[in-house]
Amino acid sequence: MNLAEALQWRYAVKRMNGNTIPPGKLHRILDAIRMAPSSSGLQPFEVFVISNRELKNKIQPIAFNQPQIGQASHVLVFAIWDAYTEQRINDYFLLNNQERNIDDTLTDVTRKRIIKNFSQQTEQEHVQHASRQSAIALGFGLVAAAVEKVDSTPMEGFHAAQLDELLGFQEKHLKSDCILALGYRDEENDWALNLKKVRRPRQALFTFIE
Ligand SMILES: Cc1cc2nc3c(=O)[nH]c(=O)nc-3n(C[C@H](O)[C@H](O)[C@H](O)COP(=O)(O)O)c2cc1C
């Protein structure tokens, strides 16, 4: 399958068959999530990769009882930073400078500017900003899953506060943002399997300015 075919093949699966994703495929999907770009490179989120049956069963009722959660091989919970703290930004620059083997003084102006910018924003602005970065990573995961012929459901249909409580996010200074259920479609029971893919026409989405 080329990319266009993979994107046609994928759909938001409503029923999965419980089969497990091979580790190689899972790790390639996770790597794609890791490779997603983010504003200033900060990657202000963590992803919890849940295959534990008991935990999936506890998440399902929190997600309006959507069956994909319990039937998925892995449930990925994208959890965003609850705030862009100075510590988190400093940690990123430390990593950046170590990886690139450059002196901290070279990035000091940028680092301080980013800290200042975020210090002038509200908590809500931080969360909205982090959520946008997490959504891009979710998108990378969706595309990678399709390329691997792994089915998926992106999900925001869940009680965030309850999921935060279940996964102890408050203590970790995180907030649940979205879920990516990964697994395999249940061809016999998924009513969404053969639905025509509906997208707004190209002329409604794209304006060409030449
Ligand atoms: C951020 C986001 C949240 C979504 N939440 C849910 C959800 O909770 N449950 C679900 O079954 N589908 C969910 N969807 C799937 C969309 O309804 C679906 O992607 C859209 O209708 C287009 O259909 P397709 O993905 O099958 O092509 C979500 C999609 C996105 C991108």
Side-chain angles (χ1 to χ4, degrees):
M1 274 200 306
N2 61 31
L3 183 59
E5 287 163 346
L7 295 180
Q8 279 294 336
W9 174 84
R10 79 143 288 283
Y11 69 103
V13 170
K14 307 298 177 199
R15 298 287 182 276
M16 294 190 180
N17 63 14
N19 289 351
T20 302
I21 306 168
K25 283 182 184 283
L26 176 68
H27 285 111
R28 284 192 291 277
I29 296 166
L30 297 182
D31 277 346
I33 290 169
R34 181 169 170 253
M35 284 301 134
S38 62
S39 178
S40 300
L42 291 169
Q43 296 180 286
F45 55 84
E46 293 180 28
V47 182
F48 291 74
V49 183
I50 300 166
S51 53
N52 180 277
R53 161 115 340 264
E54 209 179 310
L55 195 50
K56 285 189 284 187
N57 288 344
K58 281 187 185 161
I59 295 174
Q60 189 168 321
I62 290 174
F64 304 110
N65 228 7
Q66 298 190 69
Q68 308 94 307
I69 299 279
Q71 296 164 347
S73 166
H74 292 76
V75 171
L76 274 50
V77 177
F78 287 68
I80 53 171
W81 293 353
D82 63 356
Y84 285 84
T85 61
E86 194 167 335
Q87 174 80 53
R88 281 169 159 165
I89 295 165
N90 284 343
D91 284 350
Y92 166 71
F93 277 94
L94 218 57
L95 172 71
N96 180 78
N97 298 351
Q98 271 167 7
E99 291 283 311
R100 291 184 172 161
N101 201 19
I102 55 173
D103 199 87
D104 289 340
T105 52
L106 282 172
T107 54
D108 262 1
V109 173
T110 313
R111 183 179 60 80
K112 285 179 184 154
R113 179 178 45 77
I114 292 172
I115 290 171
K116 186 167 174 228
N117 283 349
F118 280 115
S119 74
Q120 290 165 344
Q121 290 183 15
T122 63
E123 257 176 47
Q124 202 191 357
E125 284 172 314
H126 283 204
V127 166
Q128 284 170 352
H129 187 275
S131 176
R132 286 198 295 275
Q133 317 315 311
S134 152
I136 293 169
L138 171 82
F140 270 52
L142 282 166
V143 175
V147 168
E148 293 291 339
K149 255 197 142 191
V150 167
D151 281 302
S152 61
T153 318
M155 303 172 100
E156 58 183 5
F158 60 87
H159 293 285
Q162 290 177 25
L163 193 55
D164 290 355
E165 169 84 32
L166 177 69
L167 298 174
F169 282 167
Q170 206 179 348
E171 300 80 65
K172 296 179 166 72
H173 295 283
L174 296 170
K175 282 179 181 292
S176 52
D177 186 57
C178 52
I179 290 177
L180 178 58
L182 295 171
Y184 293 100
R185 61 188 69 177
D186 177 345
E187 297 199 355
E188 271 160 34
N189 297 304
D190 192 351
W191 50 265
L193 176 65
N194 290 316
L195 291 182
K196 184 176 189 299
K197 205 170 255 309
V198 178
R199 292 295 188 267
R200 291 167 62 211
R202 288 183 183 83
Q203 64 269 25
L205 275 185
F206 306 113
T207 300
F208 291 87
I209 303 173
E210 292 173 344

